[in-house]
């Protein structure tokens, strides 16, 4: 079988913003000051703001404004409203945000339309306050805390809902600090994060206590071309194997599943490549999450502005409208397409990755 993922290339160089903005309040926290110092040592322009408002000073041209926002990292303070955790089914009990925004350039970006304003990435300086608030949520979730099939995971906290924490790690150190915190927390709880990046070296020697699950977000080569600024899929899989070798529970986030021409061969090759990458770590704790491509009218408008000319199909073909519990509408694949996709993945995963557990399909 021919591999359908990207060639086995090394991970790209770590993302480095062109400038880092630090609010006045962010500098009152040791973690915020450490991020600013780390950025300065890496040659990033550090701008210490005199207040707590972000002075973006972006170009008038939308394309240039997008590029400037994506090249900027802001260190801010997470307010109490951001520290009140929200449920994040079906992934985990609770969403815990270490940052908002992402340095990648994915044509299907799930953050489009969710975050207000230009796509600047904001990282939180008051990490200790965020973590100190987590014990109050222990046992209170509805996804793993009270689910018979997943209760052994304990209370789960998802750290990659609004960001890719591994992509930011060389600049922030937030993910390492959070993993170490969970490792010290002697409670039935688990941190979860998924990533399209591959630099896991800082995480391998942490005392994680088995309480952090890393998942690699993957797609076959034909569709990974929509994931600009990320590491090659082969590098992500190799990183996942390294994490498994270091004792971490791991997972695959196959997302977004795209039902374009040739999808069966493409995803069959992807699953085969994943099996080959993880073969050196037999018996690893492996989960799989299957997430089909979807979009809203609002997110499509934002993405069309960010990525004009993208070949990603966001037409009405094979689509239907699904109304969410929040009253919003999103375009998902129609029932026949969903049935074909689901049957294929369940069958091929059973053959190629029989040791894994499928957590959910959506």
């Amino acid at each position: 079988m021919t591999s359908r993922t990207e060639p086995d290339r090394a991970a790209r160089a770590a993302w480095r913003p062109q400038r880092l903005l630090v609010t006045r309040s962010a500098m009152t926290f040791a973690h915020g000051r450490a991020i600013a110092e780390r950025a300065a040592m890496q040659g990033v322009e550090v701008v210490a703001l005199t207040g707590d408002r972000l002075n973006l000073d972006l170009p008038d041209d939308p394309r240039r404004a997008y590029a400037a926002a994506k090249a900027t990292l802001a260190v801010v303070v997470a307010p109490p409203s951001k520290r009140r955790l929200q449920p994040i089914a079906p992934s985990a009990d609770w969403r815990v945000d270490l940052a908002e925004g992402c340095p990648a350039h994915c044509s299907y970006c799930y953050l489009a339309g969710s975050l207000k304003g230009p796509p600047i990435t904001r990282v939180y300086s008051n990490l200790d306050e965020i973590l100190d608030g987590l014990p109050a949520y222990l046992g209170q979730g509805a996804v793993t805390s009270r689910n018979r099939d997943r209760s052994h995971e304990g209370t789960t906290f998802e750290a990659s809902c609004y960001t890719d924490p591994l992509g930011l790690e060389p600049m922030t150190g937030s993910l390492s600090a959070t993993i170490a915190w969970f490792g010290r927390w002697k409670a039935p709880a688990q941190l979860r994060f998924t990533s399209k990046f591959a630099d896991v070296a800082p995480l391998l020697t942490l005392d994680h206590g088995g309480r952090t699950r890393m998942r690699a977000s993957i797609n076959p080569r034909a569709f990974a071309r929509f994931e600009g600024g990320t590491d090659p899929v082969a590098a992500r899989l190799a990183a996942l194997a390294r994490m498994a070798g270091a004792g971490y529970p791991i997972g695959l986030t196959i997302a977004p599943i795209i039902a374009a021409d040739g999808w069966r061969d493409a995803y069959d090759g992807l699953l085969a490549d994943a099996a080959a990458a993880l073969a050196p770590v037999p018996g690893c704790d492996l989960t799989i999450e299957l997430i089909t491509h979807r979009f809203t009218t609002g997110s499509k408008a934002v993405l069309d502005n960010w990525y004009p000319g993208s070949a990603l199909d966001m037409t009405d073909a094979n689509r239907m409208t699904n109304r969410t519990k929040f009253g919003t509408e999103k375009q998902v694949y129609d029932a026949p397409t969903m049935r074909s996709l689901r049957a294929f993945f369940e069958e091929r995963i059973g053959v190629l990755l029989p040791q894994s557990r499928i957590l959910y399909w959506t």
Side-chain angles (χ1 to χ4, degrees):
M1 182 184 302
T2 302
S3 170
R4 304 287 178 167
T5 60
E6 296 179 80
D8 189 12
R9 299 197 302 269
R12 59 187 290 124
W15 176 71
R16 180 183 299 173
Q18 291 181 4
R19 62 174 178 169
L20 182 134
L21 309 180
V22 191
T23 65
R24 181 176 57 189
S25 294
M27 286 296 285
T28 66
F29 292 90
H31 188 61
R33 294 193 298 273
I35 294 173
E37 292 169 2
R38 188 178 295 115
M41 290 179 62
Q42 295 183 34
V44 175
E45 176 191 5
V46 177
V47 180
L49 303 177
T50 57
D52 290 338
R53 296 191 60 176
L54 295 180
N55 302 316
L56 299 181
D57 189 26
L58 297 175
D60 292 332
D61 177 76
R63 295 298 304 150
R64 293 176 60 216
Y66 166 85
K70 276 288 192 176
T72 301
L73 181 65
V75 186
V76 300
V77 176
S81 61
K82 293 292 185 182
R83 304 200 304 271
R84 288 193 291 271
L85 305 191
Q86 300 297 317
I88 186 63
S91 172
D93 285 325
W94 304 105
R95 186 186 99 208
V96 55
D97 294 330
L98 310 181
E100 285 191 357
C102 174
H105 304 271
C106 298
S107 299
Y108 53 77
C109 179
Y110 289 125
L111 298 181
S114 299
L115 301 178
K116 296 179 180 179
I120 183 174
T121 298
R122 296 165 170 84
V123 62
Y124 297 131
S125 63
N126 53 334
L127 181 60
D128 289 343
E129 288 187 340
I130 294 171
L131 297 177
D132 287 346
L134 301 189
Y137 294 86
L138 196 65
Q140 301 301 308
V143 174
T144 58
S145 295
R146 303 175 187 176
N147 183 309
R148 182 180 61 184
D149 294 333
R150 293 184 63 185
S151 60
H152 63 280
E153 298 177 48
T155 305
T156 44
F157 298 86
E158 176 62 64
S160 50
C161 180
Y162 273 20
T163 190
D164 188 318
L166 185 59
L168 301 176
E169 183 64 6
M171 192 62 54
T172 69
S174 297
L175 181 58
S176 293
T178 303
I179 290 173
W181 189 91
F182 269 82
R184 296 190 299 270
W185 189 17
K186 307 302 182 183
Q190 183 184 101
L191 175 68
R192 294 163 50 80
F193 75 94
T194 190
S195 181
K196 294 182 177 69
F197 293 87
D199 183 8
V200 296
L203 314 181
L204 297 176
T205 58
L206 296 175
D207 187 6
H208 57 82
R211 284 187 280 275
T212 292
R213 183 181 298 273
M214 174 189 171
R215 298 105 72 209
S217 180
I218 58 173
N219 245 320
R221 184 180 184 184
F223 308 136
R225 64 193 174 99
F226 298 123
E227 300 171 353
T230 64
D231 283 326
V233 174
R236 302 178 212 172
L237 290 172
L240 194 68
R242 295 179 70 193
M243 291 289 278
Y248 285 87
I250 60 169
L252 299 172
T253 306
I254 304 178
I257 297 169
I258 299 174
D261 289 344
W263 67 261
R264 285 181 173 83
D265 285 344
Y267 283 105
D268 203 54
L270 177 70
L271 293 171
D273 288 344
L278 298 177
V281 280
C284 60
D285 182 348
L286 175 66
T287 62
I288 298 181
E289 295 151 84
L290 301 167
I291 305 171
T292 54
H293 180 231
R294 68 277 316 279
F295 57 89
T296 66
T297 301
S299 67
K300 182 179 184 300
V302 173
L303 291 170
D304 286 343
N305 180 58
W306 286 356
Y307 308 110
S310 171
L312 179 64
D313 182 14
M314 288 194 287
T315 67
D316 294 334
N318 300 326
R319 297 284 184 174
M320 61 179 287
T321 300
N322 183 28
R323 185 173 293 276
T324 72
K325 64 181 180 180
F326 303 107
T328 58
E329 293 183 349
K330 69 176 58 174
Q331 299 301 309
V332 300
Y333 287 121
D334 59 26
T337 304
M338 291 287 266
R339 284 195 295 268
S340 295
L341 288 167
R342 185 168 188 172
F344 165 83
F345 276 99
E346 290 179 346
E347 190 272 330
R348 296 309 294 159
I349 288 171
V351 171
L352 295 170
L353 293 163
Q355 78 277 25
S356 66
R357 292 184 293 121
I358 297 177
L359 292 187
Y360 57 84
W361 164 272
T362 185

